[in-house]
Each structure stands twice: as structure tokens, then as C-alpha cells.
Amino acid sequence: MSSDREIVCSRIVFPDSEFDAKKGRGEIPGFPICICAIEIDESNNVIKHRLRAPYPERPPWDQCTPYLTVGFALGAEAGSFMHAFPNWPFPSPAIDLYAEYMVIHNSEMVKAAGGESKQPGPSLIQACRRYGVPTMDPVYKERMRELAYSKTDHTPEEISKLEDYCLDDDCASTLRLFLKMLPYLDLLRAPINGAFMMEIERIRWGGKPIDMVPYQEVKQYTPVILPKMREDLNRKLGAEVYFAGVFKRRTMLRLMRQHNIPIPINPKTGKESCATKLIKPMIETYPLLKDYYEDKRMIDAIKNLKLEIGSDNRNRCWLNPYGTKTGRNNPSTNRELLGLPHTMRSFMKPGPAMAIAQVDIGNEEIGVAAALSGDPVLIADYQSGDPYRRFAADALGVTKPTKQQRQVYKACVLGQIYGVGAGTLARNLGILKAEARRIIDQTNARYLMLKAWLERVQIKAAHGVPITCVLGWSLKMVSGTPDEERTFLNFPMQANSAEFMRLIIVRAGHLPLIGCAHDSFIVEDTIERIEQTVAKLREIIRQTSRDLFGFELRADYNPETDCVRYPDRFASVRMECGTGIGL
Amino acid sequence: MTKPASTEKVVPITVGNPSSIASFVIDQSHMEEFTKTEEEKSSVVEVKRPPRGTYFTVPKEEEGKPNSLLVFLLELPGRETFIVTPPVANKHSDEDVIRPSLHVRYVTMLGEEALWPIKLDPPDAAKPNKWNASAKNILKDAIGAWVRLISKQKEGQYRHSISPISIEKEKPKFSNRSIYDLLDAAYDKDHRVLDDNHEVWTILAEGKAK
């Protein structure tokens, strides 16, 4: 008998479909040539379903009694369902074996990639091999794909051929893989991952509207713009950090020394570095670095700009769910708009009568740290709206700390979560080491419970115990290097934030979400409805944080700055350059 | 959660309902467990409300074996909580930092045994506190069944859900200790106010301990 908490499924359906994925082109995937499924019914009998256009209202296996859908990379099937059964909701509960593979083998995939990054997700054939499941010949699979992709006017014989392949190879392999993986599946939580994999495809389908005129101009004039931007940066810095179009790292480091700017050490290599991600905490202290940081990021982004834009002028890119060790999405940083610097979001422009809005989870990692550690002071600081300002005010005994003072305390609080020592903090902020030590001591004294909790996480990780998040995502220490230990300081915050993001996406499936970054969500709706949609999204975010963490995280939205209505273009409040890229 | 024993019979299969997330949340207090040794773990008894999304049960009351105790707590903001003996509490009845509390013994489905402090309304309360009242009502259902608390912030009270799994099927793992032992473990001698020679009275009289 099913309960609110659990669903008893008397049948299992393994669907698969054949279509042109139009990979890398920014297009909505093609209309399905066929949708097939293997169904295991109440009596354990196997039923094979073959569907081709014209499709019925709903698939024949949906008989209004609970059944479990199992697929591999269900996003693809979600796309076929949206095409073939436009009024049919996504099947639920559903289990995606790709997602479950990523959950089960996270630590193993991180280890295989050397600990720093993570191996790419497996194909169905690779997953089957990993579990010793007999599967299809890759050459045959490629031939069938070629048949599906090469044309749109398939003959009935060709469709039958594709149906055979779909049923006897893809569906059958998925069924066999499921049976092998079953003992390792967390059946209680797997349906959340399954739902997420389908909803993330819905987001991709939506796509982000791109204003093609400025985008094409930037692309077209890149050969002209880039040398000018490089020259501009050289002029601002008073040094040839770009020489003959090539960035000269040594020149930049020399320049920093000349200006008595401390040089950050890359924690991974132990060497001096002027990488923009290491420079970022220093830009409020050193105006020279602010110019460098903003211009360098723009130059790099424009140089590699390859947004995947479909014929309807919308950016669609694979979001690579579970692509990092923390479980966050890992889309391309030059093909996906939200992977580019914030400034470039100004390419996004709503169509006539439409509006786009962005909702951010305010200070997400600090909020999650407060919730998980239960530190009452950090909770109170988070709830004040600006934890860093409040800490700086208390520590310095002032009512209104300056932007720079706030930045120092922000770097210190975040530094504790990232395991930054006094030396690095001093270098990053351009302050004396003794001063950095003093601020770290202040931080530890203020957030006693946070410090104790972080220590416990590290001890646990160091003993090889997996650190498990609220919905089951976990990571286990594999090498025990100092870098890896630092990973575990921050892992609970990032990975629980990823669980949070996934659940928000599942719950916001009925809203017109068109994009999501780590801590922000973008919706597109008519100008009349946009505020209502934003209100619903914000409530989902708040409710989800209460459900997951027993603590309400902020869903920040300012109607003046976070919403853009046609004919304006999108302008993120986090844009570094204020006017975008001069469009 | 049922998983098929073999590939021969794969249905029916029971999976989580994605709409009931709150009950799937993995309690992050597992982070705390590792640093304590088994011995320490057994000697530490927490006084806390049953964790969210976790089923718990309360033992039946037997002759000489109560499942709850009425205690007086002295709570100073920013400091630890102390237990005050009834005569001392009576003597200082004008102090609003002393409140009666019902400490109820419970164990979670995961085997964590603890005491649930349910505040009791002061005798001069204008109207009953709905949180306290609803908590006491849930206690009755928690005897002989697995229940979990659901906080209804809007209603200002607790609701509860009863697990379809019976305590016969999933036996509660109560320790052999009595509720008095649990109370002793929860409040050691440093957290007991037995007379007027305790530093809390100095703090209350002067603002800080000498």
C-alpha cells in the first residue's frame, strides 16, 4: 500500500526514444522518430511498446495506477515526451540510472580524475560495462544513431529498424543495468534525481533569448575589439601585460611587485599566480587589480565566445548535471550564457511583451553553513541580511563599516570555510599577516560552533568516512592531501547547496524557468505575469530551504534591478562593468 | 523500503514519493557522531526535540518506570541550561528564568535515545501555548507507534504523522538505562542547582559570576 512517503509501484517501464539530438547547435532536439518501452507488469510479464507518429494523447503504459519509470539520461526521453505528448506531465516516480551512477560513483570518478576534477559522466555502454552487463556493440549503436540523425523522412522500414534497436538494445540494456544497480540504489531519494533530470531538460528546452544584433557584432568585430581591449588594459596598467596578443604572466607579476601588491599563491600548484579567480578577493583593496580583473575576464570570454544559439535565437546548452564532485551542474564556460562573466548576461533580452527576472539565494554558502553548523551567531548574522557587514561592524565597533572593511571580514569568513590560512589571507587582502591572524581569531571566537563543526567534518573525512548531504550526495576522501582536506571544509556547503538547487528545480517545474546557475534562477514570463511568477519562485526557494535545512534562506529579488522588461536588455546587478560590454 | 530479492520478481517495488521530501532529509547530526567514542556516545544524552523528518517512539509507562519526568530548568540566555531541584525552584519562584519542563524519553528509528523537553505553561498564563499543548497530545500517539513531528508555523502548533511501520516490525532500541539515569547523563553535577550556593544566583544578582 502506498503512503504519503512511499509509492508502491506494481509495474516498471523502461522507455527510450530515437531522435536527432542536434547536439551543440542550440536547437530543441528533434521530434522523436519512435518511442519504445519495455514494461514489466504486475505479474512480472514483459510487454514491449512501439510507438511512432502520430502519437496518442498519452503513452499506453500510463494506466493511472502507480508505476516506476526507469531510464538512462532521462532528459532525452523528457524531450521526446514534450514533443509527442505535450499535455502529459512527466512520469513520476522516475529513476535515472545516469544520475544514480553519478551519485554512487562520485568518489570513484573524482579519484580517477586525480582528485581535482571529476571524470565525465558515462554513456549507457560505459555504465553497463562498469556493472558487467552485456550490452550493444558501439559500432552498431553509432550506425543506428547515424540513421536517426541523417534524415527526417524515414521510411516505415527504417523506423521499424530503429524501433528494434531502441527496444532490444537501449531499453533492454537499461533494464539489465537497473537490475544490476538495484542493490546500490537509494530508492527513497532516487526519484528526486529522476525528476530533476527531466526538469533540467525542460529548462534547457526553454532556452535564453539572445539579442542577436549585439551578439553578432561582438562576434564579427572580435578581431577588432580584442586588440583594442588588450591595448586598453595595457594602458590602464601602464605595462605591456599583453604583447603581440599574448598575455604575459611574468609582466603582470612584476607589475604587482612594483606596486607592492602581494601575489597570491595558487593552492593547487604552490606557485605565484595572477589568475583572476585568485585576484578577485583583492580587487576592493587594489584599484589596479580591479581594472585587471574585469578586463582580463572580458577579454578571455570574448576570445572564446561560442554560445550555442538555435535558429530561434535562444541559447541552449547541456547543463551537465552532477558534473562536479559537489554535485553541481558543470556546463561549458563559453557555450552556456550563464557560464560566462555576469557582464555578458546583457546579451539576454526578452522578446515583445515578455520579461526576464533573476532570483538569487542570498549568501547561500554562509546560510547553509549557519544551518548545518547550528551556530547561533552565524544564524543571527545571516538573518540580519548582510552577515559580513554585521560582523565587521561588531568587530570594529562601528555602525557603518566601509565597503573595504566589509570585504576584509567577508574574505575572512569565507576563508574559514575554504581553509585559507593567515598568510594567504594577508596576501589576498594586502594586509599584514599579524592583522590577518587577528581577524581569523576574531572569526573563530565569534563563530565557535561553526569552527567546531568544520573541524568535525574534517576529522570525519580524514578517517575515510563519506560526507553525506541532506539528500544523499556524498564524497569520500581518497588521497588525504592538504588540498583534499580543504575540499572537505567547503564540500558540505557546496554539495548541500547543489541538493537545494536540484529540489528547487523539481518543485519549480511548473514555472517558466529558463536558466539556473549555482545560486540564481532565471524565469521568463509575460510582463503582466512576471512578478507573480517571481513571487511563486521565491516562496518555493524559501519553503525548500526550510524543508532541507530547517532554516530559511533568503530568496533575493529587487524588482528595480533584477527584472527586465521588453525592450530593455538583461542587466545583472552583479555586473562588474556597469554598462555591460558597451552594447 | 522494499527491494526485490532477485531479478525473478522485480515488482512490486517501493520507492520514495518525491512530493514528501521532508521525510527523506538525512539528518546532518551524523556529522557530530564520528568524533565521539562509543563510550562517550553512550554516556551523553541529549535534551532536544525529536529531529525533523525522523520517526520516534515513546516507551509505555510502567510501575516504577515513568516515561517522563517533571523538572525545573533555569535558562540564562547565552549560557548553559541548569536543572533546579523542586525546593530550590519553589524558593526562587519569582525568577522568570526558571520554568517547569516535562522531559520525555524517546528513541528514534535510527536508535538515538534522548529526552524531549516540553515546556509547560506557567500557572498564570493567559491562554494555553499551542506548541506545548500539541506536543503533549502527540506524546499519547507516540506510545506504541512510530511518529514524526511536523511543525506548522502558520498554525503555531505541531502536527504528526504515524509511520505505517509498526513497532512490532521495527523494534525500538531503548537502552537499559532508566529515565533517571538519562536525566543524570543529560545534566551532570555542574549543571545542577541544588542550593543557594550556586554561581547562577550570583549571575542573576550581579550580572556575572565572581
Side-chain angles (χ1 to χ4, degrees), chain A residues 319-362:
Chain A
L319 294 173
N320 193 4
Y322 307 92
T324 67
K325 56 183 156 188
T326 59
R328 282 178 160 170
N329 298 341
N330 191 21
S332 161
T333 51
N334 58 356
R335 296 171 189 275
E336 159 62 37
L337 184 69
L338 302 187
L340 300 177
H342 277 266
T343 313
M344 291 207 161
R345 293 188 185 182
S346 58
F347 282 133
M348 197 159 45
K349 183 178 174 181
M354 299 299 282
I356 294 175
Q358 173 176 305
V359 179
D360 280 351
I361 302 168

Side-chain angles (χ1 to χ4, degrees), chain A residues 191-329:
Chain A
I192 301 168
N193 296 324
F196 167 72
M197 289 295 281
M198 290 187 280
E199 291 300 342
I200 200 97
E201 179 63 9
R202 199 199 298 273
I203 292 175
R204 190 176 79 95
W205 260 53
K208 293 163 282 296
I210 301 295
D211 190 354
M212 291 306 288
V213 175
Y215 178 73
Q216 294 293 13
E217 277 176 5
V218 170
K219 288 285 285 178
Q220 185 183 348
Y221 295 113
T222 294
V224 183
I225 294 169
L226 272 182
K228 280 190 77 176
M229 289 180 78
R230 288 173 185 141
E231 277 172 31
D232 236 30
L233 181 56
N234 284 351
R235 189 177 42 76
K236 283 182 196 170
L237 299 178
E240 289 205 320
V241 292
Y242 275 102
F243 184 76
V246 179
F247 178 68
K248 297 293 177 187
R249 186 178 146 271
R250 283 185 184 175
T251 309
M252 185 63 207
L253 295 179
R254 195 164 53 237
L255 183 73
M256 289 172 74
R257 280 190 207 100
Q258 280 167 5
H259 286 80
N260 291 322
I261 298 174
I263 298 171
I265 302 292
N266 184 334
K268 288 173 186 166
T269 61
K271 291 180 181 171
E272 289 183 331
S273 170
C274 54
T276 48
K277 66 177 176 184
L278 297 175
I279 293 291
K280 193 180 176 188
M282 305 165 69
I283 61 177
E284 297 299 332
T285 315
Y286 302 100
L288 186 89
L289 291 187
K290 192 165 189 178
D291 286 336
Y292 163 72
Y293 173 78
E294 290 174 351
D295 289 13
K296 176 80 167 54
R297 287 188 78 215
M298 285 301 294
I299 290 168
D300 290 346
I302 289 177
K303 192 171 76 179
N304 300 312
L305 194 59
K306 287 176 191 161
L307 286 185
E308 290 182 2
I309 301 173
S311 50
D312 57 354
N313 298 339
R314 295 181 83 91
N315 169 229
R316 294 184 187 89
C317 182
W318 188 50
L319 294 173
N320 193 4
Y322 307 92
T324 67
K325 56 183 156 188
T326 59
R328 282 178 160 170
N329 298 341

Side-chain angles (χ1 to χ4, degrees), chain A residues 133-145:
Chain A
V133 172
T135 184
M136 69 203 97
D137 173 11
V139 179
Y140 171 60
K141 186 175 180 74
E142 205 41 56
R143 217 169 48 234
M144 287 297 110
R145 273 190 171 168

Side-chain angles (χ1 to χ4, degrees), chain A residues 196 324 326-329 361-372 382 417-418 453 468-471 473 490-505 516-521 541 544-545 548-549 553, chain B residues 28:
Chain A
F196 167 72
T324 67
T326 59
R328 282 178 160 170
N329 298 341
I361 302 168
N363 304 118
E364 186 183 28
E365 288 190 24
I366 292 298
V368 173
L372 296 178
Y382 179 83
I417 295 174
Y418 284 94
W453 179 76
T468 306
C469 301
V470 283
L471 293 176
W473 183 262
N490 189 242
F491 177 80
M493 273 62 82
Q494 290 203 11
N496 278 294
S497 296
E499 304 255 50
F500 182 34
M501 181 265 300
R502 285 194 285 273
L503 191 51
I504 291 167
I505 286 174
C516 62
H518 296 331
D519 57 359
S520 66
F521 299 85
I541 292 172
T544 304
S545 67
L548 287 188
F549 307 122
L553 270 76
Chain B
Q28 292 296 294

